[in-house]
Coordinates of all heavy atoms in Angstrom, one line a residue:
T27 N 120.6 91.6 124.0 CA 119.2 92.0 123.8 C 119.0 93.0 122.6 O 118.0 93.2 122.1 CB 118.7 92.7 125.1 OG1 119.5 93.8 125.5 CG2 118.6 91.6 126.2
D28 N 120.1 93.7 122.3 CA 120.0 94.7 121.2 C 120.7 94.4 119.9 O 121.0 95.2 119.1 CB 120.6 96.1 121.7 CG 122.0 96.0 122.2 OD1 122.6 94.9 122.3 OD2 122.6 97.1 122.5
V29 N 121.0 93.1 119.7 CA 121.6 92.5 118.5 C 120.7 91.5 117.9 O 120.6 90.4 118.4 CB 123.0 92.0 118.7 CG1 123.6 91.4 117.4 CG2 124.0 93.1 119.3
A30 N 120.0 91.9 116.9 CA 119.1 90.9 116.2 C 119.9 89.8 115.5 O 121.0 90.1 115.0 CB 118.2 91.6 115.2
A31 N 119.3 88.6 115.6 CA 120.0 87.5 114.9 C 120.3 87.7 113.5 O 121.3 87.3 112.9 CB 119.2 86.2 115.1
D32 N 119.4 88.5 112.8 CA 119.6 88.7 111.4 C 120.3 90.1 111.1 O 120.4 90.5 109.9 CB 118.3 88.7 110.7 CG 117.3 89.7 111.1 OD1 117.5 90.4 112.2 OD2 116.2 89.9 110.5
A33 N 120.8 90.7 112.1 CA 121.6 92.0 111.9 C 122.8 91.7 111.0 O 123.4 90.6 111.1 CB 122.0 92.6 113.2
K34 N 123.1 92.7 110.2 CA 124.3 92.5 109.3 C 125.6 92.2 110.0 O 126.4 91.4 109.6 CB 124.4 93.8 108.5 CG 125.5 93.9 107.5 CD 125.6 95.2 106.8 CE 126.6 95.2 105.7 NZ 126.6 96.5 105.0
Y35 N 125.7 92.7 111.2 CA 126.9 92.5 112.1 C 126.6 91.4 113.1 O 127.5 91.1 113.9 CB 127.3 93.8 112.8 CG 126.1 94.4 113.4 CD1 125.7 94.0 114.7 CD2 125.3 95.4 112.8 CE1 124.6 94.6 115.3 CE2 124.2 96.0 113.4 CZ 123.8 95.6 114.7 OH 122.7 96.1 115.3
G36 N 125.5 90.7 113.1 CA 125.1 89.8 114.1 C 126.1 88.6 114.3 O 126.5 88.3 115.4
E37 N 126.5 88.0 113.2 CA 127.4 86.9 113.3 C 128.8 87.3 113.8 O 129.4 86.6 114.6 CB 127.6 86.2 111.9 CG 128.5 85.0 111.9 CD 128.7 84.4 110.6 OE1 128.0 84.8 109.6 OE2 129.5 83.5 110.5
A38 N 129.2 88.5 113.4 CA 130.5 89.0 113.8 C 130.5 89.2 115.3 O 131.4 88.8 116.1 CB 130.9 90.3 113.1
V39 N 129.4 89.8 115.8 CA 129.3 90.1 117.3 C 129.3 88.8 118.0 O 130.0 88.6 119.0 CB 128.1 91.0 117.6 CG1 127.8 91.1 119.0 CG2 128.3 92.4 117.0
S40 N 128.5 87.8 117.6 CA 128.3 86.6 118.3 C 129.6 85.8 118.3 O 130.0 85.4 119.4 CB 127.3 85.7 117.5 OG 127.1 84.5 118.2
V41 N 130.3 85.7 117.2 CA 131.6 84.9 117.2 C 132.7 85.6 118.0 O 133.3 85.0 118.8 CB 132.0 84.6 115.7 CG1 133.4 84.1 115.7 CG2 131.1 83.7 115.0
L42 N 132.8 86.9 117.8 CA 133.9 87.6 118.5 C 133.6 87.7 120.0 O 134.6 87.6 120.8 CB 134.1 89.0 117.9 CG 134.6 89.1 116.5 CD1 134.6 90.5 116.0 CD2 136.0 88.5 116.4
S43 N 132.4 87.8 120.4 CA 132.0 87.7 121.8 C 132.3 86.4 122.4 O 132.8 86.2 123.5 CB 130.6 88.2 122.0 OG 130.4 89.5 121.7
S44 N 132.0 85.3 121.7 CA 132.2 84.0 122.1 C 133.7 83.7 122.3 O 134.1 82.9 123.2 CB 131.6 83.0 121.2 OG 130.2 83.1 121.1
L45 N 134.5 84.3 121.4 CA 135.9 84.1 121.5 C 136.5 85.1 122.6 O 137.7 85.1 122.7 CB 136.6 84.4 120.2 CG 136.3 83.4 119.1 CD1 136.8 83.8 117.7 CD2 136.9 82.0 119.5
N46 N 135.7 85.9 123.2 CA 136.1 86.9 124.2 C 137.0 88.0 123.6 O 137.9 88.5 124.3 CB 136.8 86.2 125.4 CG 136.5 86.8 126.7 OD1 135.6 87.6 126.8 ND2 137.3 86.5 127.7
I47 N 136.8 88.2 122.3 CA 137.6 89.3 121.7 C 136.8 90.6 121.9 O 137.4 91.6 122.2 CB 137.8 89.0 120.2 CG1 138.7 87.8 120.0 CG2 138.3 90.2 119.4 CD1 138.9 87.2 118.6
L48 N 135.5 90.6 121.7 CA 134.7 91.7 122.0 C 133.8 91.4 123.2 O 133.5 90.2 123.4 CB 133.7 92.0 120.8 CG 134.3 92.7 119.6 CD1 133.3 92.8 118.5 CD2 134.8 94.1 120.0
K49 N 133.5 92.4 123.9 CA 132.7 92.2 125.2 C 131.5 93.1 125.2 O 131.6 94.3 124.7 CB 133.5 92.4 126.4 CG 134.7 91.5 126.4 CD 135.6 91.6 127.6 CE 136.8 90.7 127.5 NZ 137.4 90.3 128.7
G50 N 130.4 92.6 125.7 CA 129.2 93.4 125.9 C 129.2 94.1 127.2 O 130.2 94.2 127.9
Y51 N 128.0 94.5 127.6 CA 127.8 95.2 128.9 C 127.1 94.4 129.9 O 126.4 93.5 129.5 CB 127.1 96.6 128.6 CG 127.9 97.5 127.8 CD1 127.8 97.5 126.4 CD2 128.8 98.4 128.3 CE1 128.5 98.4 125.6 CE2 129.6 99.2 127.6 CZ 129.4 99.2 126.2 OH 130.2 100.0 125.4
E52 N 127.2 94.7 131.1 CA 126.6 93.9 132.2 C 125.1 93.9 132.1 O 124.4 92.9 132.6 CB 127.0 94.5 133.6 CG 128.4 94.2 133.9 CD 128.9 94.8 135.2 OE1 128.0 95.2 136.0 OE2 130.1 94.8 135.5
D53 N 124.5 94.8 131.4 CA 123.0 94.8 131.3 C 122.5 93.9 130.1 O 121.3 93.9 129.8 CB 122.4 96.2 131.1 CG 122.9 96.9 129.8 OD1 123.7 96.3 129.1 OD2 122.5 98.1 129.6
G54 N 123.4 93.2 129.5 CA 123.0 92.3 128.5 C 123.0 92.9 127.1 O 122.5 92.3 126.1
T55 N 123.5 94.1 127.0 CA 123.5 94.8 125.7 C 124.9 94.8 125.1 O 125.9 94.7 125.8 CB 123.0 96.2 125.8 OG1 123.9 97.0 126.6 CG2 121.5 96.3 126.3
F56 N 124.9 95.1 123.8 CA 126.2 95.2 123.1 C 126.4 96.7 122.6 O 127.5 97.1 122.5 CB 126.2 94.3 121.8 CG 127.6 94.4 121.1 CD1 128.7 93.9 121.6 CD2 127.6 95.1 119.9 CE1 129.9 94.0 120.9 CE2 128.8 95.2 119.2 CZ 130.0 94.7 119.7
K57 N 125.3 97.4 122.5 CA 125.4 98.8 122.0 C 126.1 98.9 120.7 O 127.1 99.6 120.6 CB 126.0 99.7 123.1 CG 125.2 99.7 124.4 CD 125.8 100.6 125.4 CE 124.8 100.6 126.6 NZ 125.3 100.7 127.8
P58 N 125.5 98.3 119.6 CA 126.2 98.3 118.3 C 126.4 99.7 117.7 O 127.3 99.8 116.9 CB 125.2 97.4 117.5 CG 123.9 97.4 118.2 CD 124.2 97.6 119.6
D59 N 125.5 100.6 118.1 CA 125.7 102.0 117.5 C 126.5 102.9 118.4 O 126.8 104.0 118.1 CB 124.3 102.6 117.3 CG 123.5 101.9 116.3 OD1 124.1 101.4 115.3 OD2 122.2 101.8 116.4
G60 N 127.0 102.3 119.5 CA 127.9 103.1 120.4 C 129.3 103.2 119.9 O 129.7 102.5 118.9
D61 N 130.0 104.0 120.5 CA 131.4 104.2 120.2 C 132.3 103.3 120.9 O 131.9 102.7 121.9 CB 131.9 105.7 120.5 CG 131.0 106.7 119.7 OD1 130.7 106.5 118.5 OD2 130.7 107.7 120.3
I62 N 133.6 103.2 120.5 CA 134.6 102.4 121.2 C 135.8 103.3 121.4 O 136.1 104.0 120.5 CB 134.9 101.1 120.4 CG1 135.8 100.2 121.2 CG2 135.4 101.4 119.0 CD1 135.9 98.7 120.7
T63 N 136.4 103.2 122.5 CA 137.6 104.1 122.8 C 138.8 103.5 122.2 O 138.9 102.3 121.8 CB 137.8 104.2 124.3 OG1 138.2 103.0 124.9 CG2 136.6 104.8 125.0
R64 N 139.9 104.3 122.1 CA 141.1 103.8 121.5 C 141.7 102.8 122.4 O 142.3 101.8 121.9 CB 142.1 105.0 121.4 CG 141.7 106.0 120.2 CD 142.4 107.3 120.3 NE 143.9 107.2 120.4 CZ 144.7 107.2 119.3 NH1 144.3 107.2 118.1 NH2 146.0 107.2 119.5
A65 N 141.6 102.9 123.7 CA 142.1 101.8 124.7 C 141.3 100.6 124.5 O 141.9 99.5 124.4 CB 142.0 102.3 126.1
E66 N 140.0 100.6 124.3 CA 139.2 99.4 124.1 C 139.6 98.7 122.8 O 139.7 97.5 122.8 CB 137.7 99.8 124.1 CG 137.2 100.2 125.5 CD 135.8 100.7 125.4 OE1 135.4 101.3 124.4 OE2 135.0 100.6 126.4
F67 N 139.8 99.5 121.8 CA 140.1 98.9 120.5 C 141.6 98.3 120.5 O 141.8 97.3 119.9 CB 140.0 99.9 119.4 CG 139.9 99.2 118.0 CD1 139.0 98.2 117.8 CD2 140.9 99.4 117.1 CE1 138.9 97.5 116.6 CE2 140.9 98.7 115.9 CZ 139.9 97.8 115.6
A68 N 142.5 98.9 121.3 CA 143.8 98.3 121.4 C 143.7 97.0 122.0 O 144.3 96.0 121.6 CB 144.7 99.2 122.3
A69 N 142.8 96.8 123.0 CA 142.5 95.5 123.6 C 141.9 94.5 122.6 O 142.3 93.4 122.6 CB 141.6 95.7 124.8
V70 N 141.0 95.0 121.8 CA 140.4 94.1 120.8 C 141.4 93.6 119.9 O 141.5 92.4 119.6 CB 139.2 94.9 120.0 CG1 138.8 94.1 118.8 CG2 138.1 95.2 120.9
V71 N 142.3 94.5 119.4 CA 143.3 94.1 118.4 C 144.3 93.1 119.0 O 144.7 92.1 118.4 CB 144.0 95.3 117.8 CG1 145.3 94.9 117.0 CG2 143.1 96.1 117.0
C72 N 144.7 93.3 120.3 CA 145.6 92.3 120.9 C 144.9 91.0 121.1 O 145.5 89.9 120.9 CB 146.0 92.9 122.3 SG 147.2 94.2 122.2
R73 N 143.6 91.0 121.4 CA 142.9 89.7 121.5 C 142.8 89.0 120.2 O 142.8 87.8 120.1 CB 141.5 90.0 122.2 CG 141.6 90.4 123.6 CD 140.1 90.6 124.2 NE 140.2 91.3 125.4 CZ 139.4 92.4 125.6 NH1 138.6 92.9 124.7 NH2 139.5 93.1 126.7
L74 N 142.5 89.8 119.1 CA 142.4 89.3 117.8 C 143.7 88.5 117.4 O 143.7 87.5 116.8 CB 142.3 90.4 116.7 CG 140.9 90.8 116.4 CD1 140.9 92.0 115.5 CD2 140.1 89.7 115.7
L75 N 144.8 89.0 117.9 CA 146.1 88.4 117.6 C 146.5 87.2 118.6 O 147.5 86.6 118.5 CB 147.2 89.4 117.6 CG 147.2 90.5 116.5 CD1 148.2 91.6 116.8 CD2 147.4 89.8 115.1
G76 N 145.6 87.0 119.5 CA 145.8 85.9 120.5 C 146.9 86.3 121.5 O 147.6 85.5 122.1
L77 N 147.0 87.7 121.8 CA 148.0 88.2 122.7 C 147.5 88.6 124.1 O 148.1 89.5 124.7 CB 148.8 89.3 122.0 CG 149.5 88.9 120.7 CD1 150.1 90.2 120.1 CD2 150.6 87.9 121.0
E78 N 146.4 88.1 124.5 CA 145.7 88.5 125.7 C 146.7 88.3 126.9 O 146.9 89.1 127.7 CB 144.5 87.7 126.0 CG 143.8 88.0 127.3 CD 142.8 89.1 127.2 OE1 142.3 89.4 126.1 OE2 142.5 89.7 128.3
E79 N 147.3 87.1 127.0 CA 148.2 86.8 128.1 C 149.5 87.7 128.1 O 149.9 88.2 129.1 CB 148.6 85.3 128.1 CG 147.5 84.4 128.5 CD 147.9 83.0 128.6 OE1 149.1 82.7 129.0 OE2 147.1 82.1 128.4
T80 N 150.0 87.9 126.9 CA 151.1 88.8 126.7 C 150.8 90.2 127.2 O 151.6 90.9 127.8 CB 151.6 88.8 125.2 OG1 151.8 87.5 124.8 CG2 152.9 89.6 125.1
A81 N 149.6 90.7 126.8 CA 149.2 92.0 127.2 C 149.0 92.1 128.7 O 149.4 93.1 129.4 CB 147.9 92.4 126.5
N82 N 148.5 91.0 129.3 CA 148.4 91.0 130.8 C 149.7 91.0 131.4 O 149.9 91.6 132.5 CB 147.6 89.7 131.2 CG 146.1 89.7 130.9 OD1 145.5 90.8 130.8 ND2 145.5 88.6 130.8
G83 N 150.7 90.4 130.8 CA 152.1 90.4 131.3 C 152.7 91.8 131.2 O 153.6 92.2 131.9
A84 N 152.2 92.6 130.2 CA 152.8 94.0 130.0 C 152.0 95.0 130.9 O 152.4 96.2 130.9 CB 152.6 94.3 128.5
K85 N 151.0 94.6 131.6 CA 150.3 95.5 132.4 C 151.2 96.2 133.4 O 152.1 95.5 134.0 CB 149.1 94.8 133.1 CG 148.3 95.8 133.9 CD 146.9 95.2 134.2 CE 146.1 96.1 135.0 NZ 145.7 97.4 134.4
G86 N 151.1 97.5 133.6 CA 151.9 98.2 134.5 C 152.9 99.0 133.7 O 153.5 100.0 134.3
Q87 N 153.2 98.7 132.4 CA 154.1 99.5 131.6 C 153.4 100.8 131.2 O 152.3 100.9 130.9 CB 154.5 98.8 130.4 CG 155.4 97.6 130.6 CD 155.8 96.9 129.3 OE1 155.9 97.6 128.3 NE2 156.0 95.6 129.4
Q88 N 154.2 101.9 131.3 CA 153.7 103.2 130.9 C 154.5 103.6 129.6 O 155.6 104.0 129.7 CB 153.8 104.2 132.0 CG 153.2 105.6 131.5 CD 153.0 106.5 132.7 OE1 153.2 106.2 133.8 NE2 152.6 107.8 132.3
V89 N 153.8 103.6 128.5 CA 154.4 104.0 127.2 C 154.0 105.4 126.9 O 154.8 106.2 126.3 CB 154.0 103.0 126.1 CG1 154.6 103.5 124.8 CG2 154.5 101.6 126.4
F90 N 152.8 105.8 127.3 CA 152.3 107.2 127.0 C 152.0 107.9 128.3 O 151.6 107.2 129.3 CB 151.0 107.1 126.1 CG 151.2 106.4 124.8 CD1 150.9 105.1 124.5 CD2 151.8 107.2 123.8 CE1 151.1 104.5 123.3 CE2 152.0 106.6 122.5 CZ 151.7 105.3 122.3
N91 N 152.1 109.2 128.3 CA 151.9 110.0 129.5 C 150.5 109.8 130.1 O 150.3 109.8 131.3 CB 152.1 111.5 129.2 CG 153.5 111.8 128.7 OD1 154.4 111.2 129.1 ND2 153.6 112.8 127.9
D92 N 149.5 109.6 129.2 CA 148.1 109.6 129.7 C 147.6 108.1 129.8 O 146.4 107.9 130.0 CB 147.2 110.4 128.8 CG 147.3 109.9 127.3 OD1 148.1 109.1 126.9 OD2 146.4 110.4 126.5
V93 N 148.5 107.1 129.8 CA 148.1 105.8 130.1 C 149.0 105.3 131.2 O 150.0 104.6 130.9 CB 148.2 104.9 128.8 CG1 147.7 103.5 129.1 CG2 147.5 105.4 127.6

Side-chain angles (χ1 to χ4, degrees):
T27 57
D28 58 350
V29 178
D32 62 349
K34 183 178 183 178
Y35 50 82
E37 181 179 355
V39 170
S40 179
V41 171
L42 293 174
S43 294
S44 296
L45 292 172
N46 217 16
I47 292 170
L48 281 175
K49 300 181 183 202
Y51 295 92
E52 291 180 8
D53 65 358
T55 63
F56 181 74
K57 299 184 175 145
D59 295 325
D61 300 321
I62 186 167
T63 67
R64 287 167 53 89
E66 289 170 334
F67 196 61
V70 168
V71 171
C72 287
R73 291 181 197 128
L74 270 173
L75 294 173
L77 298 175
E78 177 89 22
E79 288 185 32
T80 307
N82 287 336
K85 185 160 177 61
Q87 293 184 27
Q88 183 169 353
V89 177
F90 298 102
N91 298 330
D92 58 351
V93 186

